[in-house]
Amino acid sequence: MRLTIVAATGGVGRHLVEQAVAGGHDVTAVARRPRELPGGVRTVAADLTEPDVGAALAEAVRGADAVLSALGPRNPRADAGITSRGTRAIVAAMHAEHVRRIVVVSAAPVGPVPVPGRPTPPRHDPGDGFFMRHLGVPFTRAMFGRHYADLAVTEQILRDSGLEWTVSRPPKLTDKPLTGTYRTAWNRNLRGGFSVSRADVAHHMLAMVNQPDTIEQVVGIAN
């Protein structure tokens, strides 16, 4: 398949590129500094925080079978807003180039965060247990509330896009190696799922590209 991977030098993005190349896919990698990427992939330099990024993104997604976005801030407490702005630009480029399929990484605590298109979400994610509901989620929201609010807007952008979207919602990300063994659940988090490796998130995102039943679904993942 022809895959465009956005934020290709980030924590999940690097694994997406490596695994997609190993799987024999034709990869276009989008990054601010594509020189950091390994050889064997087509690269497009693009800063998704810039207002004139549209032409570069259109070039990057042109002819793609699917787009995978690992976009997120390097500092979640300081760079809120990057993911939603970048996702709007990706969606616009996909519409311009008639590309339909997109898989995006979000985060487990996002489900109960209200957005204009979803002002009264459930108070708790249905998959969260007592600890996460009363300790884990309140703590992470206190630390990274602006980031999760931006991810909630990002998910709303996808729901309104008319594209064939899928959202991956992992909990805490680790740098443990790829296992290919993880739990998943549709439209909820995983009970007792406190972490998952970036490599496994990338593995699952690539797998979902060819799973039509994940279209217009939010999928929780955890080890």
Side-chain angles (χ1 to χ4, degrees), residues 187-207:
N187 301 306
R188 63 180 177 87
N189 295 333
L190 279 300
R191 187 66 58 93
F194 302 117
S195 67
V196 66
S197 72
R198 292 175 174 86
D200 278 337
V201 171
H203 183 272
H204 187 233
M205 289 175 70
L206 285 166

Side-chain angles (χ1 to χ4, degrees), residues 35-51:
R35 63 181 179 276
E36 299 177 5
L37 290 162
V41 300
R42 175 177 172 249
T43 61
V44 174
D47 184 345
L48 272 72
T49 66
E50 297 296 328

Side-chain angles (χ1 to χ4, degrees), residues 79-96:
D79 300 329
I82 288 174
T83 309
S84 62
R85 291 198 303 271
T87 301
R88 282 193 182 94
I90 295 167
V91 167
M94 291 177 67
H95 279 298

Side-chain angles (χ1 to χ4, degrees), residues 106-169:
S106 181
V110 170
V113 177
V115 290
R118 191 167 172 257
T120 55
R123 184 177 178 186
H124 301 290
D125 186 282
D128 287 342
F130 179 88
F131 174 83
M132 288 303 294
R133 289 186 180 194
H134 298 285
L135 295 174
V137 170
F139 173 77
T140 57
R141 285 194 190 147
M143 293 290 291
F144 307 114
R146 291 177 61 206
H147 172 53
Y148 294 136
D150 188 56
L151 288 177
V153 172
T154 297
E155 292 188 10
Q156 187 64 44
I157 291 167
L158 293 172
R159 284 192 289 268
D160 294 341
S161 68
L163 299 175
E164 296 175 354
W165 57 269
T166 303
V167 169
S168 173
R169 280 192 193 157

